[in-house]
């Protein structure tokens, strides 16, 4: 009888625990539905990068970067056509790990930074193709405005310090420097410049 | 562009073009006896040689028309300004207040166009007017000095002294930041080199009137590009700009000297500031620890 009572108590306790667990499970919130991100964002210069590479004497790639960047992104995941991107890069912030070369790059032979202090991309049309985003727009560079199409991906999203939404984007594209009138050193330097842009933008 | 191509496109072709036009002008002048015939072709010869070198080395300059997707650079404006000035220079080189005023207008227009980005973004309001007035005055001083040198004596004196300024400036600009400006200076020196050869063969040949005006315009506007858009130090630009004063000293102070003696003295004296400027640039280059090449 004593054994029966112990077994019954254990069974009851187990049933209660299971019931409590099931009840707790039933009360847990369902996984949040994916809400399309819509909003205006500003480029976070501290967590964004603009890198470029160009072939030297058709032999090896030389890398450089621009150390400053600013811009805004109006991002609309629900209606990609309502999105827009503006990115500005001061040409004076070029950095190729050689002070003398940077000085030459800033002069009239290349970037002509004193005459054209800013490089600017302004989108005119944004669309989404599967997981890839596409921004068509104009690139103002070296006193020349030309149309350009840039594909990019959304690399992630998180929450910033003040609770604002933070998004990440990444893009790689190639431009022909001679299209923008930078023709100096055709034998020594390739015409193609491979550009990598990684943007972190924070909600405004 | 390899060095051989630069020599062919930036030196040889402009020198041949200038030489042919100078020779045609000189023959016309000798034939008619009217000095003005030689003046017209002189400015055209310098401008055509410069334009040829520019096009062969740097390609077509950006258009200044409003619907263009390009903005002309300071160097593009040098070429655009040189073409109408080639026609106006002999006219403006004449003495008289109306022509002086027109020179001033031409100088102000040149400064405003070559330094467009400075006037549009940095020098606003009164600062812009001050810079415009100051640089226009400097241009007029340079024009007057070079005109005086070119007209001081016929023969080698004028062409070889002007050649020295252009060559000195070309080397300085090339050493201090911009190969493009240096190459364009070299093209101007090549055109003047052709004038030296003609003056050597035909001692009656002169650059006064039109050609010296074009040389002033091109040297001054290339100098503006070198100082404001490249990294040529102000002190070196001033040293090169002072060279015409040194070259004029023997002409003004020793009128009894022979042409040969004056020419040698002018070359020797003007070589001093030019040599110091180039020497400074070479020392700077040799002391540069951060080496790179293309």
């Amino acid at each position: 009888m004593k054994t029966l009572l112990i077994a019954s108590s254990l069974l009851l306790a187990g049933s209660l625990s299971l019931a409590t667990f099931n009840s707790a499970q039933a009360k847990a919130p369902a996984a949040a539905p994916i809400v399309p991100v819509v909003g205006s964002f500003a480029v976070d210069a501290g967590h964004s990068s603009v890198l470029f590479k160009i072939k030297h004497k058709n032999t090896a790639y030389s890398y450089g970067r621009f150390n400053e960047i600013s811009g805004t992104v109006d991002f609309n995941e629900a209606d990609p056509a309502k999105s827009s991107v503006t990115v500005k890069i001061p040409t004076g912030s070029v950095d190729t790990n050689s002070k003398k070369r940077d000085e030459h790059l800033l002069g009239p032979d290349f970037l002509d930074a004193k005459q054209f202090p800013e490089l600017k991309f302004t989108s005119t049309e944004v669309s989404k193709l599967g997981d890839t985003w596409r921004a068509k727009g104009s690139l103002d560079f070296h006193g020349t405005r030309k149309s350009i199409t840039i594909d990019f991906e959304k690399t992630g999203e998180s929450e910033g310090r003040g609770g604002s939404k933070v998004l990440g984007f990444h893009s790689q594209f190639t431009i022909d420097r001679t299209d923008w009138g930078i023709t100096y050193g055709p034998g020594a330097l390739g015409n193609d410049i491979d550009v990598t842009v990684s943007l972190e933008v924070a909600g405004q | 562009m390899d060095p051989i191509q630069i020599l062919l496109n930036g030196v040889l072709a402009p020198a041949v073009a200038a030489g042919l036009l100078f020779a045609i002008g000189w023959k016309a002048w000798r034939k008619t006896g009217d000095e003005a015939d030689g003046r017209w072709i002189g400015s055209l010869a310098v401008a055509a040689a410069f334009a040829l070198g520019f096009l062969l080395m740097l390609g077509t300059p950006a258009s200044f028309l409003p619907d263009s997707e390009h903005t002309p650079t300071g160097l593009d404006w040098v070429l655009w300004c040189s073409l109408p000035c080639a026609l106006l220079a002999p006219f403006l080189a004449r003495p008289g207040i109306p022509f002086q005023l027109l020179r001033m207008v031409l100088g102000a227009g040149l400064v405003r166009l070559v330094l467009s980005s400075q006037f549009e973004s940095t020098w606003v309001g009164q600062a812009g007017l001050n810079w415009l007035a100051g640089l226009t005055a400097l241009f007029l001083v340079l024009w007057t000095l070079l005109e005086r040198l070119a007209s001081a004596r016929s023969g080698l004196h004028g062409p070889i002294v002007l050649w020295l300024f252009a060559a000195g400036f070309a080397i300085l600009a090339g050493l201090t930041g911009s190969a493009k400006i240096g190459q364009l200076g070299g093209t101007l020196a090549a055109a003047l080199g052709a004038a030296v050869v003609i003056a050597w063969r035909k001692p009656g040949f002169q650059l006064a009137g039109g050609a010296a005006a074009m040389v002033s315009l091109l040297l001054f506007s290339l100098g503006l590009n070198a100082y404001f858009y490249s990294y040529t130090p102000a002190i070196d630009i001033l040293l090169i700009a002072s060279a015409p004063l040194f070259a004029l000293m023997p002409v003004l102070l020793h009128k009894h000297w022979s042409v040969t003696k004056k020419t040698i003295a002018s070359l020797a004296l003007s070589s001093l500031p030019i040599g110091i400027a180039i020497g400074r640039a070479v020392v700077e280059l040799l002391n540069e620890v951060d080496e790179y090449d293309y």
Side-chain angles (χ1 to χ4, degrees):
Chain A
M1 185 63 186
K2 192 177 176 182
T3 307
L4 187 64
L5 277 173
I6 291 169
S8 301
S9 301
L10 284 173
L11 191 64
L12 185 65
S15 302
L16 282 171
S17 300
L18 194 64
T20 310
F21 178 74
N22 284 338
S23 165
Q25 261 200 330
K27 282 178 186 171
I34 296 171
V35 180
V37 179
V38 177
S40 292
F41 299 83
V43 171
D44 175 355
H47 296 101
S48 298
S49 303
V50 182
L51 312 174
F52 62 86
K53 68 174 183 183
I54 188 164
K55 214 165 192 185
H56 178 232
K57 291 182 178 171
N58 202 25
T59 303
Y61 286 104
S62 283
Y63 280 78
R65 56 178 288 162
F66 288 96
N67 291 328
E68 293 173 33
I69 185 171
S70 64
T72 55
V73 176
D74 283 326
F75 193 62
N76 192 324
E77 236 169 355
D79 187 356
K82 289 183 179 168
S83 301
S84 66
V85 183
T86 303
V87 173
K88 296 175 186 176
I89 298 166
T91 44
S93 70
V94 73
D95 180 355
T96 63
N97 196 31
S98 164
K99 185 174 171 281
K100 194 69 188 169
R101 179 168 55 201
D102 291 346
E103 201 172 81
H104 192 192
L105 285 175
L106 293 173
D109 293 347
F110 293 102
L111 299 173
D112 229 335
K114 289 182 183 172
Q115 292 189 77
F116 308 115
E118 192 173 77
L119 194 157
K120 183 179 176 186
F121 173 76
T122 311
S123 71
T124 53
E125 183 188 332
V126 176
S127 57
K128 194 178 178 194
L129 313 157
D131 288 339
T132 304
W133 289 74
R134 174 165 290 176
K136 290 183 180 174
S138 60
L139 180 62
D140 289 294
F141 177 32
H142 194 250
T144 298
R145 173 173 292 178
K146 286 195 85 74
S147 296
I148 184 174
T149 299
I150 296 172
D151 285 344
F152 62 97
E153 61 173 316
K154 183 182 158 199
T155 49
E157 62 180 74
S158 60
E159 212 167 78
R161 276 187 201 164
S164 63
K165 180 79 80 181
V166 175
L167 305 178
F169 299 101
H170 188 266
S171 176
Q172 285 183 306
F173 55 95
T174 302
I175 60 171
D176 183 338
R177 66 190 176 104
T178 60
D179 288 343
W180 278 268
I182 302 177
T183 55
Y184 180 79
L189 295 170
N191 288 343
D192 285 347
I193 305 174
D194 296 325
V195 184
T196 301
V197 180
S198 178
L199 292 184
E200 187 166 302
V201 297
Q204 290 178 305
Chain B
M1 194 177 284
D2 63 49
I4 300 293
Q5 268 184 305
I6 291 171
L7 280 177
L8 288 175
N9 295 339
V11 177
L12 192 63
V16 169
L20 283 172
L21 289 171
F22 277 133
I24 291 168
W26 189 80
K27 280 198 169 183
W29 174 19
R30 298 293 292 171
K31 197 173 175 181
T32 61
D34 183 358
E35 210 172 280
D37 288 346
R39 285 179 176 179
W40 284 100
I41 205 102
S43 59
L44 278 176
V46 175
F50 182 80
L52 183 65
F54 190 111
L55 294 172
L56 289 175
M57 286 192 297
L58 306 185
T60 315
S63 166
F64 53 82
L65 298 174
D67 59 343
S68 170
E69 62 184 6
H70 305 280
T71 304
T73 64
L75 287 177
D76 291 336
W77 276 119
V78 177
L79 180 63
W80 291 129
C81 290
S82 72
L83 300 176
C85 291
L87 299 172
L88 289 174
F91 179 70
L92 297 178
R94 293 176 185 177
I97 290 175
F99 297 112
Q100 296 285 344
L101 289 174
L102 284 173
R103 280 193 199 195
M104 204 181 293
V105 172
L106 174 79
L110 178 76
V111 169
R112 177 62 184 80
L113 290 172
V114 169
L115 299 178
S116 292
S117 68
Q118 292 288 111
F119 282 101
E120 283 157 18
S121 60
T122 311
W123 300 333
V124 287
Q126 189 60 43
L129 289 174
N130 294 345
W131 276 103
L132 189 67
L135 292 172
T136 303
L138 280 178
F139 171 63
L140 294 176
V141 169
L142 181 71
W143 186 341
T144 306
L145 287 175
L146 295 193
E147 186 66 37
R148 181 76 180 83
L149 272 170
S151 59
R153 284 284 184 278
S154 58
L156 270 179
H157 185 268
I160 204 164
V161 169
L162 263 56
W163 171 84
L164 183 68
F165 300 153
F169 171 77
I171 294 168
L172 177 70
L175 289 174
T176 53
S178 175
K180 271 187 187 177
I181 300 175
Q183 287 163 8
L184 291 175
T187 295
L188 178 59
L192 291 168
V196 170
V197 173
I198 290 177
W200 173 48
R201 302 296 300 166
K202 308 285 181 188
F205 178 77
Q206 266 204 353
L207 288 176
M214 274 310 299
V215 174
S216 312
L217 182 144
L218 292 173
L219 266 181
F220 186 75
S221 49
L222 288 175
L224 291 180
N225 274 281
Y227 177 66
F228 287 103
Y229 297 146
S230 185
Y231 292 87
T232 306
I235 183 74
D236 295 334
I237 295 266
L238 289 173
L239 279 166
I240 296 274
S242 71
L245 280 172
F246 284 84
L248 264 178
M249 280 181 193
V251 176
L252 298 176
L253 301 178
H254 300 284
K255 292 182 179 171
H256 59 283
W257 280 7
S258 69
V259 174
T260 308
K261 203 171 175 181
K262 280 182 185 172
T263 303
I264 292 169
S266 288
L267 282 175
L269 285 173
S270 54
S271 292
L272 285 174
I274 294 172
I276 292 170
I278 292 173
R280 278 170 41 86
V282 170
V283 168
E284 174 80 14
L285 211 62
L286 292 176
N287 287 339
E288 192 59 63
V289 288
D290 184 12
E291 287 184 3
Y292 74 97
D293 69 45
Y294 292 114

